[in-house]
Amino acid sequence: MDQMKERFAKLLLGEDMSGGGKGVSSALALSNAVTNLAASIFGEQGKLAPMAPERKARWRKEMDWLLSVTDHIVEFVPSQQKSKDGTNMEIMVTKQRKDLLVNIPGLRKLDTLLIDTLDNFGEEQEFWYVSKNDDPENESSRREGKWWHPKVKVPPNGLSETSRKWLLSEKEAVSQVLKAAMAINASVLSEIEVPESYIDSLPKNGRSSLGDSIYKSITVEYFDPANFLSSMDLSTEHKVLDLKNRIEASIIIWKRKMHHKEGKSSWGSAVSIEKRELFEERVETILHLLKYRFPGLPQSSLDISKIQDNKDIGHAILESYSRIIESLAFSILSRIEDVLHADSLAQSSSSNSDDDATRLSSAETPTLLDFMGWGIDPLKRSSIDMENLFKVDSDKKTSKPPVSPTPRPPIPELSDN
């Protein structure tokens, strides 16, 4: 009780401990509280291993506190009431807001699935971790800069077929959770109004935002988004994020120009509405591809502006909760990819030892781009229809490492709101 009082007191102060009323809004305070809690709980999750019981208990307890706010975000709905004399009349009653009523239980289910996935790796595994400082082989890592992550080790001949299939099934399940969390987060962010401060910072036309080279590539007569992305330099996270920021800015500019089509303001333009709608559709396609090809990207400038200026508490909780689930799912997916990468190298090394020199010289080794996902879609192998993705199956249990692979339960039904 004392912990809960302290937590909500800080939220009411809006992170201004002086009490001078200079704190952030309640929506941003709650969003920051969810983000900071997740960072303290999952920040050290560098391995595929169960969470410590005390950390798991703290996560569930404090998230229950923060999510309890949504129980009191309601809307009025009509309801029938029968009076003592037997007559029926319609009255208005309160009910939890629709988007929260549907998505909060769904996000809780996704949360549970990810924690259960980590728990599944508590039993005897065929892989293990060593500190990079203790690695005698001194191999180059595919994440060379991330020295804080331990290095995955597998048997000399790689994983067994059973273990490999089970690991791939876990990867598929986490990919579904990632897609679901991304869909909810994108939906919530689209509902938040674009802040005026962000609009004021934009140039007055889409060409200035995109740059001449990108603008010419998008406005050609025959446009292919796949060819466009292949022609762009997406070798680093910074370059991908920069492209995303430019595209989002151009979308906002073009939408505002269509609202000022009379040309009476500085947002007016001589370009026809039809062409602008075509350009907007093209850049939205590119933006969609970027989001699903690079799911681990940091937030864009537009997203940050929306989160900081948002005053809707329900949106703040849905956005922050879905964002940290998305981040955790991506982290687990990356750890699974680490194991599969080590297994692939072990198999390649084992097979090469029996080959002749010609085959050894022509053997193709996976590159950094192959396993980091830069330039390819890390979720491309998951072709599950989004409608099937959200089917509810509450009776199934989360699978444990089996003798033969066991299917995972499907993802719960979520709202498009």
Side-chain angles (χ1 to χ4, degrees), residues 148-414:
W148 58 90
H149 285 298
K151 187 174 179 62
V152 181
K153 306 294 287 185
V154 296
N157 295 328
L159 302 174
S160 66
E161 188 65 23
T162 300
S163 181
R164 188 179 302 113
K165 286 182 177 179
W166 176 78
L167 200 60
L168 288 171
S169 72
E170 294 295 291
K171 175 187 173 182
E172 181 68 22
V174 176
S175 297
Q176 294 182 48
V177 174
L178 177 61
K179 284 185 176 182
M182 289 175 65
I184 295 178
N185 189 262
S187 177
V188 175
L189 284 171
S190 68
E191 294 292 323
I192 301 176
E193 187 177 352
V194 180
E196 286 297 326
S197 59
Y198 177 81
I199 295 174
D200 293 341
S201 68
L202 297 177
K204 297 305 179 184
N205 58 72
R207 186 174 192 140
S208 299
S209 171
L210 292 171
D212 289 339
S213 176
I214 298 177
Y215 182 81
K216 289 177 182 178
S217 300
I218 289 175
T219 56
V220 294
E221 184 176 357
Y222 301 104
F223 175 73
D224 185 339
N227 287 339
F228 170 81
L229 288 179
S230 65
S231 67
M232 298 299 298
D233 182 4
L234 304 177
S235 57
T236 66
E237 183 181 88
H238 173 74
K239 292 178 179 178
V240 179
L241 185 60
D242 179 65
L243 177 60
K244 183 180 177 183
N245 284 331
R246 290 173 178 269
I247 289 175
E248 287 183 337
S250 67
I251 292 174
I252 300 299
I253 293 170
W254 284 330
K255 283 183 177 179
R256 287 185 65 83
K257 283 181 179 293
M258 283 187 279
H259 287 302
H260 296 276
K261 54 183 176 294
E262 299 86 358
K264 295 180 181 180
S265 76
S266 60
W267 288 98
S269 173
V271 180
S272 67
I273 297 176
E274 292 76 15
K275 281 189 175 181
R276 192 172 296 110
E277 287 177 340
L278 176 62
F279 299 160
E280 183 184 338
E281 180 182 344
R282 288 176 175 180
V283 294
E284 284 180 342
T285 301
I286 296 171
L287 186 61
H288 177 80
L289 291 174
L290 283 176
K291 287 180 178 179
Y292 281 89
R293 184 171 292 189
F294 306 105
L297 278 180
Q299 292 167 308
S300 65
S301 299
L302 176 59
D303 293 345
I304 293 173
S305 297
K306 284 185 172 184
I307 293 170
Q308 290 179 343
D309 284 60
N310 169 52
K311 298 298 188 291
D312 188 304
I313 293 176
H315 286 158
I317 293 178
L318 283 179
E319 189 283 326
S320 57
Y321 197 13
S322 60
R323 173 162 39 88
I324 57 118
I325 290 177
E326 177 185 333
S327 177
L328 178 60
F330 181 75
S331 176
I332 295 174
L333 198 61
S334 298
R335 301 294 84 76
I336 294 176
E337 287 283 1
D338 288 343
V339 180
L340 294 174
H341 174 65
D343 175 54
S344 176
L345 292 179
Q347 290 184 75
S348 176
S349 176
S350 177
S351 61
N352 285 342
S353 63
D354 300 327
D355 291 341
D356 57 275
T358 302
R359 183 175 178 183
L360 179 63
S361 63
S362 63
E364 185 176 334
T365 304
T367 66
L368 174 68
L369 298 182
D370 294 329
F371 291 98
M372 280 300 291
W374 298 113
I376 62 170
D377 187 349
L379 303 177
K380 188 174 181 181
R381 291 184 290 272
S382 177
S383 57
I384 298 174
D385 191 290
M386 287 298 287
E387 293 181 2
N388 296 329
L389 183 67
F390 300 146
K391 289 183 180 177
V392 180
D393 188 358
S394 58
D395 295 329
K396 284 190 176 183
K397 304 289 186 181
T398 305
S399 66
K400 298 292 181 180
V403 176
S404 60
T406 302
R408 296 292 302 269
I411 303 303
E413 184 176 355
L414 303 172

